[in-house]
Each structure stands twice: as structure tokens, then as C-alpha cells.
């Protein structure tokens, strides 16, 4: 047993209102600078849709993540030798056009234009070349445009559906979408780490945050391809790749990451999970349909005395184990089993989990009017969003996984309805709970956690002990005038 | 006198710059050490430029180094006319590939607005120096046949004399102008090395072949066991 701690998250998709506050909080803090304009370490996309960068889920095009080559697990970009052979030109690197060309407007022209007959306009200019440009894409170009034949119809997950399922999805009165915020998943079997020829990308042992050592990165740009979620970004001015740092400087100061802290819908939960690092590879080798369950399986119970003892032996600090016991993520993923990893079939073991959205799934078309379904359990089959589509997103195609989650979410609703409206007999409530395999106490707990909790319960940042580690190992006076973390030079090209 | 400066003094200056500035840059501003890839901004032309450029230049450089480092073995290889002929033809073909490739690399830096936006003076100096180098190289291969042989009797002893700190510039003094240019420019490129993206050449990530896929870094020393 090699027990490690991982700072993990849950995003509750029913609660996301698609406001992009999270993206802006992140941008203001980390990527509001030359060369990083196009980077959205946190982005929110509309599903079904093509996302950002366009069609990132299509690994036939981008070659992200892992695949099984017989009995061995190999990066989809190729073996080590072949990756080095492709270093002079990476055939699966997305270019700026796959994201968008960052732009601004010549606002000055509005006030400085000479008097004339026409209203002055602020022309869009490229932030790369400075030249006037035609804006053809943007960070959320397909925002709320699901159902459209350019975006939703090209979603790699939709393309896989049967004609009947697609018709069902695009029928005009039934059109449906939901928002999906995405950040780096700080994976256990990270593609970016494995793909970096320089070995510049690493996982922090104590908390599992995945970082790129900026001094070691040589701009070979293989991580961009190797990450199936396209969450490392090439800095086109600096020649270095960058990624989400899970706001580790904020976490070390005990604060929530900026996107978590600012989330308007309060959809975001953060906490520590304990897992068995020796089993990462065997989990990543499971069949597509078993991956979600296998990943859940290596997460360990932080209350189990044996686990606690082994964790201590493996060097996990006592306070971190305590934080793991308070972790809301553990509850969502293990105790209640209502949060699933995004695209487990990429085999990176992503440690950000999603509660799949219930609302767009369950509202039914009734002679042109939308209403909630009466009989929740049988209608799962006729849900507006085909179960196969959701299973393709969150369970490697295993419909049973997502249905199990939906049964639980429905049980919570039935129970709440019986409490607040009082029109459902107790027998129906207990039937719903037993079908969902969720105790009535658990149903209450889910309800509480998803509606009433405050930030300290939603976001349980473990004590990171990092400051103390620095002080124990180094002369504090020597480091007194530094900025505290990272580089002391501007991220610019100087040579 | 000019020969002495160009071939007896400048090579030392160039190598001193490469090592001195290179070490300074690596220790003080390692963040700047990068291939400075521009594929993100333009990928299609880069393919036809970068791939032939790199594969061909690496082989050509290897040949130059072997003939300088192990001249006797190189001489044996060339002893057979057929092998000599094959080597010269291969060299010429690779040389022409680098020439076309460097033209493409230059063309794309002019032609593509995004790439030209990230192109700096030092990028131009490097590309122009490399163009000059491969152009003179190909010209020499065409006009002054059997370079793989006469290199052994001119460049090799001259380079060794430099290493022995006893520069014998007479080996080069009688050479045609174009050979002198090719030689001088080679050290020009060495001098440009620490100031430019060329530093990526010494960061060839061969350790990738043997390191474990996943890297975990602990802040404190890992457990007792
Ligand atoms: C095995 C060693 C080498 C490796 C791994 C390597 C790798 C690379 C990479 C990844 C790039 C960036 C390409 C892009 O824009 O995406 C590059 C560019 C470049 N390399 Fe190398 N290289 C090597 C050796 C060399 C050598 C020996 C030279 C010349 C003497 C050289 C000259 C250049 C130049 C001039 C560029 C810039 C091309 C441009 O963008 O215009 N490289 N190299
Ligand atoms: S999601 Fe994050 S940790 Fe996982 S492969 Fe991508 S960049 Fe790496
Ligand atoms: S801030 Fe929260 S609710 Fe708003 S888009 Fe981001 S994740 Fe969704």
C-alpha cells in the first residue's frame, strides 16, 4: 500500500448557471497578460457542443490521453522513441485556430476620430499581430448555442449516437443543453506528465497538484497533445507551456482556489481524497466501461483505522488525514456515489468529478409544454438527453453508471417533494430510496450538502504545511524579500 | 593578419561566448531556455521546414564532427571510391534539403503575420546565418568536389591546432573565399548560440527514453523507508 493524498473536486452541474464568473476570476489572477490571452485555465462550455479548443474530445484528431496496446498502457501520441522522433514538428498539436485568435478593439478611435458624417467605430484588432481582423471565434463562441447544427451536431459525443437519439436531441421543442465548467483535473495518471520529454511536469507528492516547472520546460510542446482535456496551454510569447495550478499559492494560505471562491452557483466542492498509488496503473488498464468504478475503488475510506495507519506509514500528515475525513468530495464520490469523472476512458484518472445534470434530463415534452415527468424511474429511458450521451461523457459509455446516479438524484427530489409539498405517500419515498440504494439519512445529507452548506463545508483546504517546510529547511531571512512563490522575473521572452 | 583574427582569434572568442554566456544564461535566467516553438501559430509550412531541416542538419553536423574527431577512421571509410561517392552524394542531397528547408523557415517568418509578430532580431540573425552556412556549404559541395577528403587535410588539422592553443591559420589561408566564409560563419553561429533559441540544441531530452512516466516531487524528504 502506498497511500497518497489528492486535493480533488466535485462540480455539481445542476447548479451551474453558466455565468463564467469562475473563468474571469481565474483570468484576472493568472492569465491576463501577453501570450496568455487565449488561455482559459478555467472555461465553461455548453454541452452538447464542440467546446474549447474545438472538438477537444476527439482524440482521433488530438491524440490525447492513453490507449491500451495489447497489455501495456501507452500514450496515444505514441511511444517514447516515436514522441522524440516527432519533436521537430508535433503532428497532433492544436494551433491557435483550434482555440481562437485573441482580439481587442481600437477603442481610442471612438474618441480620437475627426468630426465627420459617420459614427466612429472601434474596429477589432488581433492581439497577436495588432492588425485589424475578422472575429471568427472566441472563448465561448458556442455559448448557449446547443442544438445548432454547427456546434452541438459536431460534438464528438453526439456524433457517436444513433440517428434516432440524435433526432430526439435536436427536435426543436426538446432542445436541451447544460453548462460544463472545466479546469485541469490534476490526474493520477496524468498524460501531460508522461508526455513531457524534459520531465518538467510533476505531481506534488503532498497534495497531488500537477505543475509545470517553468525553468525546466523547453517548449517541446508535447504536453499540449498528451493532455486529453487540453488543459496545458502553449505560451506563444514565452516558449513555455502553462496550466492550471489549482491556485496553490491561495491554498497554501488556506484560501479556496479563485474559481471555487467566486462560483456564483456554488457548484464547486473541494477536499482531500486518500488513494492507493500502487494501483494507479492497474486501474488505468481496465475496460472502458469499468473505469469509473475502478477509479472509485482506489479511493480509500479515511475513517478506516487500517487506512489511517497505512496512510501515516506512507507519510501522509495527520492533519491531512483529518481534512480527508471532512472532505465533501469523499462524500459525493464514495459515500453517496453521485459524482463521476469526465471521460474516464482517456485513462488519466482525472480527480475532478461531476454530478451529472438532472434537470434537462428529466423535464418532458408534453404536447408542446415542458413539465417534469410524473413517473421518474421509467422515464429515465426517454430522457431528453440520451443516457448514452451522458454515459459517453462520464462513464466510458457505461449507461448503468449514470443511471445509478440519476436514481439517487431522483430519490432526493422525491424525498424533498414529500417534505415540502407533502403530496407523496411515505411508501413512495422509501421505495425511491431503496431503488436508488441510498439511505434516507444519506438523502438528507445530499440535500443539505447541495443546498445549505457554507463555504467552509464545501471547500475543505487541507493544511499544506508548506510554509513550515520552507522555514525548517531554509533560512527565512534569505527568502524574506521574495515574492513567495514561482518566478521572480516577468514571464516574457528576453533572449 | 585578417586571417589570424578570423581564424586564430575569433574562434576562441566565439567558444568563450558560447560557454560563458551559456552558463550565465542557464544559471541566472533558465526560464528563457526554450526551443521557442512557433508551431502553435503556424503548423503546415513549419512541417516542411522544420522536419527536413533538423534531420538533415543533424546528419551533416555529425559528419563534420566525425571527420574532425576521428579523422583516421573517417579516412578509412572514404578509402573506397564507391563509399566516397555515396557519401558525397548523400551529403549533397542533405545539404540541398537544408537549403530548401531554411528558405521555407524564412519564408514563413516573413509571410505569416502571426509568426512574424513573434520574430525578434536574434531570430533573424540565426536564420540568416544558417542560410549563409548551408548555402555556402552546398556551393562548396558543387564546386570544390571531394570535400569529405580535403576537409581531413585542412579543417581537421586546423581545428586540432585550435584545441592545442597553437592556431595554425595557414591551413585555411590558401583556401578559396567561399570556404573561408563557411568556416568563419560556423563560428559566428557558435557565437550566436548562447544569445538565441539555438540553446535548445544542448537540451536534447534523451532522458525521456528511460525515466518513469509519472513524476512525483515531495516537498520534504520522503518517509524513512
Ligand atoms: C536533436 C537536437 C534538436 C532538437 C530536439 C531540436 C528541436 C527543435 C524544436 C522543437 C524547434 C521548434 C520548432 C517549432 O517551431 O515548433 C526547433 C527549432 C529550431 N531549431 Fe532545432 N532542434 C535540434 C537541433 C537543432 C540544430 C542542430 C540546429 C541548427 C544548428 C537547430 C536549429 C533550429 C532553428 C533555427 C529553429 C527555429 C526554426 C524556426 O522557427 O524558424 N536545431 N528545434
Ligand atoms: S487534466 Fe491536468 S493533470 Fe490531467 S493530463 Fe491534463 S493537464 Fe495533466
Ligand atoms: S461561476 Fe460557478 S455557476 Fe458560474 S459558470 Fe462558473 S461554475 Fe458555473
Amino acid at each position: 500500500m502506498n497511500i497518497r493524498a489528492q486535493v480533488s473536486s466535485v462540480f455539481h452541474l445542476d447548479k451551474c448557471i453558466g455565468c463564467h464568473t469562475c473563468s474571469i476570476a481565474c483570468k484576472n489572477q493568472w492569465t491576463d497578460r501577453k501570450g496568455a490571452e487565449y488561455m482559459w485555465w478555467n472555461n465553461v462550455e455548453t454541452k452538447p457542443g464542440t467546446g474549447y479548443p474545438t472538438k477537444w474530445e476527439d482524440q482521433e484528431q488530438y491524440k490525447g490521453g492513453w490507449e491500451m496496446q495489447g497489455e501495456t498502457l501507452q500514450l496515444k501520441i505514441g511511444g517514447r522513441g516515436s514522441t522524440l522522433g516527432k519533436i521537430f514538428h508535433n503532428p497532433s498539436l492544436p494551433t491557435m485556430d483550434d482555440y481562437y485568435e485573441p482580439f481587442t478593439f481600437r477603442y481610442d478611435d471612438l474618441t480620437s476620430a475627426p468630426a465627420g458624417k459617420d459614427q466612429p467605430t472601434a474596429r477589432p484588432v488581433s492581439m497577436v499581430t495588432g492588425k485589424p481582423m475578422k472575429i471568427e471565434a472566441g472563448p465561448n463562441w458556442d455559448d448557449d448555442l446547443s442544438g445548432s447544427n454547427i456546434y452541438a451536431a459536431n460534438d464528438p459525443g453526439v456524433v457517436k449516437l444513433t440517428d434516432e437519439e440524435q433526432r430526439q436531441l435536436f427536435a426543436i421543442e426538446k432542445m436541451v443543453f447544460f453548462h460544463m465548467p472545466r479546469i485541469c483535473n490534476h490526474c493520477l495518471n496524468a498524460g501531460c506528465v508522461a508526455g513531457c520529454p524534459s520531465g518538467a511536469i510533476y505531481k506534488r507528492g503532498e497534495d497531488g497538484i500537477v505543475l509545470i516547472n517553468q525553468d525546466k520546460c523547453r517548449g517541446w510542446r508535447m504536453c499540449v497533445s498528451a493532455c486529453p482535456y487540453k488543459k496545458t496551454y502553449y505560451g506563444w510569447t514565452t516558449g513555455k507551456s502553462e496550466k492550471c495550478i489549482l491556485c496553490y499559492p491561495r491554498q497554501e494560505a488556506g484560501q479556496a482556489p479563485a474559481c471555487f471562491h467566486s462560483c456564483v452557483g456554488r457548484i464547486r466542492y473541494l477536499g482531500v481524497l486518500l488513494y492507493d498509488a500502487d494501483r494507479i496503473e492497474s486501474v488505468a488498464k481496465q475496460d472502458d466501461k469499468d473505469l469509473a468504478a475502478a477509479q472509485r475503488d482506489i479511493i480509500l475510506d479515511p475513517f478506516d483505522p487500517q487506512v489511517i495507519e497505512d496512510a501515516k506509514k506512507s507519510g501522509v500528515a495527520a492533519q491531512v488525514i483529518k481534512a480527508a475525513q471532512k472532505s465533501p468530495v469523499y462524500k459525493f464520490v464514495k459515500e453517496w456515489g453521485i459524482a463521476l469523472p469526465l471521460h474516464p476512458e482517456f485513462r488519466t484518472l482525472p480527480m475532478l468529478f461531476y454530478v451529472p445534470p438532472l434537470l434537462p434530463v428529466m423535464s418532458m415534452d408534453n404536447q408542446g409544454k415542458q413539465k417534469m415527468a410524473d413517473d421518474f424511474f421509467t422515464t429515465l429511458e426517454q430522457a431528453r438527453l440520451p443516457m448514452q450521451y451522458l454515459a459517453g461523457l462520464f462513464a466510458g459509455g457505461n449507461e448503468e453508471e449514470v443511471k445509478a446516479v440519476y436514481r439517487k438524484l431522483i430519490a432526493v427530489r422525491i424525498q424533498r417533494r414529500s417534505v415540502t409539498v407533502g403530496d407523496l405517500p411515505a411508501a413512495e419515498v422509501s421505495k425511491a430510496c431503496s431503488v436508488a440504494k441510498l439511505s434516507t439519512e444519506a438523502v438528507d445529507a445530499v440535500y443539505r450538502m447541495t443546498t445549505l452548506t457554507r463555504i467552509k463545508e464545501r471547500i475543505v483546504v487541507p493544511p499544506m504545511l508548506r510554509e513550515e517546510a520552507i522555514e525548517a529547511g531554509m533560512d527565512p531571512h534569505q527568502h524574506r524579500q521574495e515574492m513567495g512563490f514561482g518566478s521572480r522575473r516577468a514571464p516574457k521572452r528576453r533572449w | 593578419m585578417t586571417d589570424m583574427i578570423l581564424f586564430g582569434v575569433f574562434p576562441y572568442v566565439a567558444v568563450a561566448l558560447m560557454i560563458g554566456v551559456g552558463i550565465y544564461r542557464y544559471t541566472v535566467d533558465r526560464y528563457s531556455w526554450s526551443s521557442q516553438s512557433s508551431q502553435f501559430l503556424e503548423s503546415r509550412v513549419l512541417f516542411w521546414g522544420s522536419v527536413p531541416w533538423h534531420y538533415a542538419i543533424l546528419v551533416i553536423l555529425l559528419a563534420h564532427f566525425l571527420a574532425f574527431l576521428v579523422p583516421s577512421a573517417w579516412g578509412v571509410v572514404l578509402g573506397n571510391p564507391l563509399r566516397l561517392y555515396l557519401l558525397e552524394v548523400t551529403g549533397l542531397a542533405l545539404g540541398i534539403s537544408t537549403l530548401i528547408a531554411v528558405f521555407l523557415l524564412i519564408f514563413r517568418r516573413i509571410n505569416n503575420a502571426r509568426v512574424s509578430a513573434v520574430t525578434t532580431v536574434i531570430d533573424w540573425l540565426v536564420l540568416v546565418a544558417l542560410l549563409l552556412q548551408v548555402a555556402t556549404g552546398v556551393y562548396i559541395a558543387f564546386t570544390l568536389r571531394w570535400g569529405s577528403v580535403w576537409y581531413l587535410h585542412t579543417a581537421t588539422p586546423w581545428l586540432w591546432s585550435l584545441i592545442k592553443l597553437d592556431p595554425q591559420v595557414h591551413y585555411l589561408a590558401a583556401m578559396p573565399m567561399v570556404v573561408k566564409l563557411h568556416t568563419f560563419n560556423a563560428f559566428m553561429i557558435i557565437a550566436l548560440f548562447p544569445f538565441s533559441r539555438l540553446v535548445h540544441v544542448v537540451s536534447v531530452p534523451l532522458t525521456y527514453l528511460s525515466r518513469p512516466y509519472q513524476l512525483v516531487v515531495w516537498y520534504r524528504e520522503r518517509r524513512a523507508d
Side-chain angles (χ1 to χ4, degrees), chain A residues 85-105:
Chain A
K86 288 182 257 184
I87 204 165
F88 309 122
H89 178 276
N90 171 356
S92 44
L93 185 80
T95 66
M96 182 167 266
D97 293 316
D98 293 308
Y99 302 78
Y100 68 101
E101 182 163 351
F103 50 84
T104 182
F105 295 87

Side-chain angles (χ1 to χ4, degrees), chain B residues 74-97:
Chain B
W74 192 252
V76 172
V77 171
L78 299 180
N80 174 320
L82 181 66
R83 282 198 296 251
L84 173 63
Y85 193 72
L86 271 179
L87 202 93
E88 288 266 316
V89 172
T90 317
L92 192 57
L94 290 172
I96 293 171
S97 320

Side-chain angles (χ1 to χ4, degrees), chain B residues 115-135:
Chain B
V115 180
S116 77
V118 295
T119 303
T120 59
V121 175
I122 197 79
D123 290 341
W124 279 125
L125 289 177
V126 166
L127 282 177
V128 169
L130 290 174
L131 172 64
L132 185 64
Q133 194 63 4
V134 295

Side-chain angles (χ1 to χ4, degrees), chain A residues 156-173:
Chain A
V158 168
V159 174
K160 288 192 199 128
L161 299 176
T162 63
D163 288 351
E164 178 49 35
E165 283 168 326
Q166 294 198 22
R167 238 194 320 280
Q168 190 186 337
L169 191 62
F170 292 123
I172 201 81
E173 322 80 53

Side-chain angles (χ1 to χ4, degrees), chain A residues 11-13 15-24 42-44 179-182 259-260 262-268:
Chain A
F11 290 1
H12 194 313
L13 293 184
K15 287 154 63 83
C16 179
I17 56 176
C19 62
H20 303 279
T21 310
C22 45
S23 308
I24 298 299
N42 180 108
N43 77 298
V44 185
H179 298 290
M180 191 168 76
R182 300 201 298 120
C259 55
F260 286 72
S262 62
C263 177
V264 174
R266 300 184 180 185
I267 83 156
R268 296 180 176 224

Side-chain angles (χ1 to χ4, degrees), chain A residues 80 90 101 196 234 240, chain B residues 31 37 39 50 114 123 211:
Chain A
R80 296 162 195 262
N90 171 356
E101 182 163 351
C196 172
Y234 181 72
K240 303 271 158 164
Chain B
Y31 178 72
S37 165
Q39 194 190 340
S50 182
R114 288 180 189 167
D123 290 341
R211 77 162 169 87

Side-chain angles (χ1 to χ4, degrees), chain A residues 80 85 88-90 96-97 101 190 193-194 196 203 205-206 218-219 221 234 239-240 314-315 493-494, chain B residues 28-29 31 33-37 39-40 43 50 54-55 114 123 208 211 214-217 219-220 223:
Chain A
R80 296 162 195 262
F88 309 122
H89 178 276
N90 171 356
M96 182 167 266
D97 293 316
E101 182 163 351
V193 177
C196 172
K203 194 174 206 34
E206 284 81 358
R218 298 279 169 264
R221 31 105 179 93
Y234 181 72
K240 303 271 158 164
S314 304
R493 184 173 175 188
R494 279 180 291 272
Chain B
V28 173
D29 194 4
Y31 178 72
W33 207 275
S34 165
S35 77
Q36 214 66 44
S37 165
Q39 194 190 340
F40 177 70
S43 181
S50 182
H54 280 97
Y55 280 115
R114 288 180 189 167
D123 290 341
Y208 183 55
R211 77 162 169 87
Q214 297 300 327
L215 298 178
V216 178
V217 173
Y219 212 62
R220 62 198 141 73
R223 49 197 99 162

